[in-house]
Amino acid sequence: MSSQWHRWSTPFPKIGIRPTIDGRQGVRQSLEEQTMEMARKVASLLSERLKYPNGESIECVISDTCIGGAVEAAASAHKFRKEGVGVSITVTPCWCYGTETMDDDPTMPKAIWGFNGTERPGAVYLAAVIAGHNQKGIPAFGIYGREVQDAKDTDIPADVEEKLLRFARAAMAAALMRGRAYLSLGSVSMGIAGSIIDESFFQDYLGMRNEYVDMSEFVRRMDREIYDPEEFKVAMAWVKRNCSEGADNNPQDRQRTQLQKDGDWDTAVKMTLIGRDLMVGNPKLAELGYGEEALGHYAIVGGFQGQRQWTDHFPNGDFMEAILCSSFDWNGIRAPYILATENDSLNGVSMLFNYLLTQCAQIFADVRTFWSPEAVKRISGYELTGPAKDGMLHLINSGPAALDGTGEQSRDSQPVMKPFWEIGDEEVEACLQATSWRPADLEYFRGGGYSTDFVTKGGMPVTMTRINLVKGLGPVMQLAEGYTVELPVHVHETLDQRTSPTWPSTWFAPILTGKGAFQDVYTVMDHWGSNHGAISYGHIGADLITLASILRIPVCMHNVRESNVYRPRAWSAFGMDDLQGADFRACANFGPLYR
């Protein structure tokens, strides 16, 4: 069996901490230790609380000296380039020379913490250097504690800590995407706009490249056995032990024979190995004489077209998508991959945003049906209560809902979705037992295959998000925080039978605000900008808004409290009474991060 292949074949970006200082002799000496201690405390906070996608602690790099002027700023920038820094945080307890000490890299996400202490005016420096950033067109996040601290206090107040962590999570997500690839496995699926790859979006907004592979490459690799044969044997044995077949809903006279179904499993597992190897490579292939194939395409996210040119003839990609998107497979517990069905690159990117902010597996789903309380009662006799009392959305799609989405992982006896390093073997077993693999609906998938079938447990806080492209405007983000809903079994089955019972279901109740797109649940559905959504564990809307502002993507729809919205200070210059409009104006003014 292959060892852990090189998913992250280049080093992760680091966070650079810049201690800036008043360069005047005498003043500087009195502040050196306090300033450097601020930097050390911030580095310690971020390394203790944040992790890379492989589960290791985020690395921070501190400038060699405090930065009192342009020479030391340049030396710090040189060190950061050598160390692979992708995020910049400046800290200071005092006045410094603003534009002489600032980080002027226009593509480096940056934040500045100005200490709130009246003995030395850190807040004055913060205001001055933010003004310099704004004037130069390099937006930066300002961090200023609410309460005055004593001059020698080196603690990080709770509100400052919250902003440091929110900025760092979002900025690291942006840095992790930069230079990576989106891999299209096939082309446009059934006219879905999201699978029309817009290279300028990936290049200008995300700093990513686009890679393309025709689906015939799967056939070539299957026919010529360009995959690890030992791993294939292990995978097939694992599937036989852990993946139970569910009922076949196809008419009996149209059902595939057991021999055909067994062949579908063989193909599905090979597709999974091949899809993964195409994304990230596999050194084992070089040992088999396939050096180029062993490299992969440096993809942090991908999408499989499938329908219909593939699925009219071959087994569908549902198993590949669901298993790769999950946090485990025959090799054990590991980080999930991000693979979108129907090559919906925009939903793939939405899944990627969610994943990089949480390190949790993602659910890809159709935003399929709004169920009003009246409709549910009319059809099932059941009266919705709790978070769903005003109605709910049925999120359902055939393939790439990670098995983590069953909700069979737990924390404090509550259903959750966890980063892979927190998942236990018993939780993997529970996720597998809660999932059945149903023979594909042959009306949809003429070539056969298997689809995941599970129901997400209720009570989980989740966030649904989506990136859409609008001609003349560019990308926009929409998001909705809410909760998963658990229905009585007979109610779920009654409603589920009206669509395809062979697919995984997540019942979702968005949090309502009583206004705009969140006036009621119907309005949320009516405002959703595409047929797909990416669903992440946790209420992460505030982090998504911060990430969107770093990338200069305006947010057209959200239900996050205004007090939790955190964007660069420059955004306040674009209007205070219409924050959503200010976001659009600021993003348009500064333009994509990498253009």
Side-chain angles (χ1 to χ4, degrees):
M1 182 172 60
S2 301
S3 60
Q4 180 66 19
W5 40 90
H6 55 300
R7 289 188 63 177
W8 308 102
S9 55
T10 53
F12 291 118
K14 301 172 185 176
I15 299 178
I17 313 296
R18 308 174 70 256
T20 57
I21 201 165
D22 189 328
R24 289 173 286 198
Q25 291 300 306
V27 177
R28 176 170 183 149
Q29 283 72 15
S30 69
L31 293 165
E32 289 272 11
E33 180 54 32
Q34 182 186 1
T35 305
M36 192 58 78
E37 182 62 14
M38 283 180 69
R40 289 192 287 263
K41 283 288 185 69
V42 170
S44 178
L45 168 70
L46 300 180
S47 294
E48 289 173 4
R49 298 284 293 276
L50 302 179
K51 295 184 182 296
Y52 290 120
N54 67 352
E56 295 178 359
S57 296
I58 277 180
E59 291 187 55
C60 294
V61 176
I62 301 175
S63 305
D64 290 334
T65 68
C66 291
I67 299 168
V71 171
E72 289 162 321
S76 176
H78 178 67
K79 178 177 183 176
F80 285 3
R81 283 192 293 271
K82 287 175 58 181
E83 293 281 349
V85 166
V87 176
S88 164
I89 298 177
T90 298
V91 301
T92 189
C94 61
W95 167 257
C96 316
Y97 304 148
T99 58
E100 297 178 28
T101 60
M102 68 184 282
D103 170 12
D104 59 2
D105 183 336
T107 62
M108 180 90 72
K110 56 187 90 298
I112 304 153
W113 174 25
F115 184 83
N116 184 1
T118 192
E119 291 87 354
R120 299 287 187 182
V124 177
Y125 169 71
L126 174 62
V129 77
I130 287 288
H133 279 85
N134 293 351
Q135 191 166 327
K136 291 174 179 288
I138 310 174
F141 288 78
I143 302 173
Y144 178 55
R146 178 174 289 274
E147 302 299 334
V148 173
Q149 295 181 257
D150 296 333
K152 299 300 182 182
D153 189 354
T154 59
D155 290 338
I156 302 176
D159 60 333
V160 171
E161 179 179 298
E162 180 182 6
K163 287 186 175 180
L164 283 167
L165 290 170
R166 176 154 294 147
F167 166 76
R169 278 192 298 267
M172 182 53 68
L176 285 165
M177 287 185 283
R178 187 175 185 180
R180 304 287 301 202
Y182 178 93
L183 175 61
S184 294
L185 300 166
S187 184
V188 179
S189 172
M190 302 185 298
I192 292 173
S195 58
I196 302 171
I197 306 301
D198 188 308
E199 289 212 355
S200 63
F201 165 65
F202 281 92
Q203 177 179 315
D204 295 346
Y205 286 89
L206 309 182
M208 292 175 60
R209 68 172 68 230
N210 294 90
E211 294 280 296
Y212 303 89
V213 174
D214 191 88
M215 290 185 292
S216 63
E217 179 66 2
F218 282 86
V219 180
R220 183 181 81 94
R221 293 196 184 203
M222 285 189 287
D223 287 351
R224 302 191 181 196
E225 298 185 354
I226 307 175
Y227 52 83
D228 182 349
E230 295 304 314
E231 185 181 1
F232 172 68
K233 293 176 185 176
V234 171
M236 285 299 295
W238 182 87
V239 166
K240 289 178 181 178
R241 289 195 309 270
N242 295 287
C243 298
S244 60
E245 289 188 21
D248 191 334
N249 272 62
N250 295 290
Q252 193 164 2
D253 62 345
R254 293 193 59 207
Q255 292 179 9
R256 292 166 73 78
T257 66
Q258 191 57 52
L259 185 62
Q260 288 175 312
K261 291 177 179 179
D262 291 343
D264 288 351
W265 276 120
D266 183 280
T267 300
V269 171
K270 289 176 182 175
M271 287 174 65
T272 306
L273 299 178
I274 292 166
R276 179 204 66 202
D277 293 350
L278 282 164
M279 288 182 68
V280 303
N282 186 348
K284 183 67 176 180
L285 301 185
E287 298 176 22
L288 299 173
Y290 297 101
E292 181 182 7
E293 290 86 347
L295 297 174
H297 288 267
Y298 203 54
I300 194 173
V301 57
F304 179 66
Q305 175 196 333
Q307 298 189 72
R308 288 185 38 225
Q309 286 78 8
W310 181 271
T311 57
D312 278 3
H313 183 60
F314 292 103
N316 61 25
D318 289 9
F319 178 82
M320 171 180 66
E321 294 158 358
I323 288 297
L324 288 181
C325 285
S326 299
S327 298
F328 48 84
D329 60 19
W330 41 87
N331 289 312
I333 300 169
R334 45 88 176 138
Y337 297 84
I338 304 300
L339 183 64
T341 197
E342 294 160 352
N343 198 26
D344 185 349
S345 65
L346 298 180
N347 214 56
V349 166
S350 303
M351 293 169 71
L352 179 62
F353 286 1
N354 292 347
Y355 166 62
L356 292 175
L357 291 170
T358 65
Q359 278 91 43
C360 294
Q362 298 296 308
I363 297 173
F364 180 120
D366 279 352
V367 185
R368 193 174 187 97
T369 311
F370 160 65
W371 282 96
S372 69
E374 296 77 16
V376 172
K377 191 165 186 179
R378 175 176 63 84
I379 291 166
S380 70
Y382 180 72
E383 187 167 338
L384 293 174
T385 60
K389 64 181 176 60
D390 297 311
M392 59 188 180
L393 303 181
H394 193 186
L395 309 179
I396 179 172
N397 195 293
S398 62
L403 272 59
D404 307 57
T406 57
E408 293 291 340
Q409 300 161 18
S410 65
R411 187 183 294 122
D412 299 325
S413 301
Q414 297 299 312
V416 298
M417 296 170 68
K418 296 178 179 179
F420 78 91
W421 56 85
E422 295 182 17
I423 298 172
D425 290 336
E426 71 286 353
E427 291 173 315
V428 171
E429 181 67 21
C431 291
L432 288 165
Q433 289 184 359
T435 305
S436 66
W437 297 88
R438 305 284 292 274
D441 184 334
L442 297 177
E443 286 188 351
Y444 286 95
F445 305 117
R446 300 176 186 178
Y450 290 91
S451 296
T452 45
D453 182 22
F454 64 75
V455 185
T456 302
K457 279 192 171 183
M460 292 199 296
V462 294
T463 303
M464 182 169 72
T465 190
R466 171 74 189 187
I467 295 289
N468 295 303
L469 292 178
V470 180
K471 187 174 177 62
L473 176 62
V476 291
M477 174 186 285
Q478 54 184 172
L479 64 92
E481 295 182 340
Y483 293 90
T484 60
V485 175
E486 194 157 341
L487 300 174
V489 173
H490 74 279
V491 177
H492 163 74
E493 290 180 350
T494 299
L495 305 184
D496 197 39
Q497 287 293 333
R498 298 174 74 95
T499 176
S500 177
T502 65
W503 297 347
S505 287
T506 302
W507 298 100
F508 173 60
I511 296 169
L512 303 177
T513 65
K515 58 183 180 181
F518 293 90
Q519 179 177 336
D520 53 32
V521 181
Y522 167 80
T523 312
V524 175
M525 176 77 177
D526 198 38
H527 278 72
W528 204 251
S530 183
N531 53 313
H532 293 151
I535 298 89
S536 179
Y537 178 78
H539 288 159
I540 61 168
D543 286 352
L544 283 165
I545 289 171
T546 297
L547 173 58
S549 68
I550 289 172
L551 302 173
R552 320 286 162 71
I553 298 173
V555 180
C556 64
M557 171 182 168
H558 73 82
N559 56 348
V560 176
R561 288 200 308 270
E562 186 176 308
S563 60
N564 286 340
V565 173
Y566 184 41
R567 294 181 170 120
R569 282 281 187 91
W571 267 235
S572 63
F574 291 86
M576 60 180 291
D577 295 327
D578 176 16
L579 295 183
Q580 190 174 59
D583 181 32
F584 276 78
R585 291 188 288 274
C587 289
N589 179 74
F590 293 112
L593 180 59
Y594 300 107
R595 188 169 66 192

